């Protein structure tokens, strides 16, 4: 019977929604990286994923100053030289469809993230130097 226990289904849906939106994790702002970060100015990656994603927070970098020609695939290709990635996402304006000029990259291992950070002045995509910063949990020194 599919329509069996609606109360249990509602509870499970509420728990899943809380987990996905980060409502159960006050240490970070909402899970969607393009959502405006709470406490703006405290660090570049306050819009990161909730802590239940573990390594994704620890091995994640903010990439700023992206050229308009950069898409997810180009971001992934560039940063995969430092190690395996779990995600690479350029943020786009939902109204204009244009790049917002920044994105996020998540590395499978900390060594890949550290290599990208150490590459500092040589992080160049389509002839434009991009800024790479470690994502910090809310309340951590930026």
């Amino acid at each position: 019977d599919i329509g069996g226990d609606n109360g249990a289904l509602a509870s499970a849906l509420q728990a899943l929604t809380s987990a996905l939106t980060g409502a159960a994790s006050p240490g970070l702002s909402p899970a969607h990286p393009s959502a405006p970060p709470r406490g703006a100015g405290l660090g570049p990656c306050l819009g990161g994923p909730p802590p239940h994603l573990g390594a994704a927070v620890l091995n994640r970098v903010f990439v700023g100053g992206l050229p308009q020609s950069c898409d997810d695939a180009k971001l992934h290709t560039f940063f995969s030289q430092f190690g395996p990635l779990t995600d690479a996402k350029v943020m786009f304006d939902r109204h204009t469809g244009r790049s917002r000029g920044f994105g996020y990259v998540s590395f499978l291992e900390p060594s890949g993230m550290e290599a990208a950070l150490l590459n500092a002045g040589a992080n160049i995509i389509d002839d434009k130097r991009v800024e790479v910063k470690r994502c910090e949990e809310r309340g951590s020194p930026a």
Side-chain angles (χ1 to χ4, degrees), residues 43-107:
C45 292
L46 296 177
H52 70 273
L53 295 179
V57 172
L58 299 175
N59 302 330
R60 193 169 193 216
V61 294
F62 165 87
V63 184
L66 291 173
Q68 285 294 312
S69 59
C70 187
D71 59 11
D72 293 352
K74 193 172 283 190
L75 190 66
H76 188 281
T77 298
F78 179 81
F79 282 95
S80 64
Q81 70 181 306
F82 304 111
L85 306 181
T86 58
D87 191 38
K89 185 75 180 153
V90 175
M91 298 294 105
F92 288 90
D93 182 286
R94 66 184 116 216
H95 300 294
T96 65
R98 290 177 46 98
S99 169
R100 294 176 63 192
F102 70 93
Y104 298 94
V105 176
S106 297
F107 291 88

Side-chain angles (χ1 to χ4, degrees), residues 3-42:
D5 186 4
N6 286 335
L9 180 60
S11 281
L13 182 58
Q14 183 177 12
L16 179 60
T17 301
S18 292
L20 291 175
T21 62
S25 55
L28 295 176
S29 59
H32 196 281
S34 67
R38 290 179 287 176
L42 296 177

Side-chain angles (χ1 to χ4, degrees), residues 121-132:
N123 287 327
I124 299 171
I125 298 176
D126 288 348
D127 299 321
K128 186 172 182 194
R129 185 185 159 289
V130 296
E131 182 179 17
V132 180

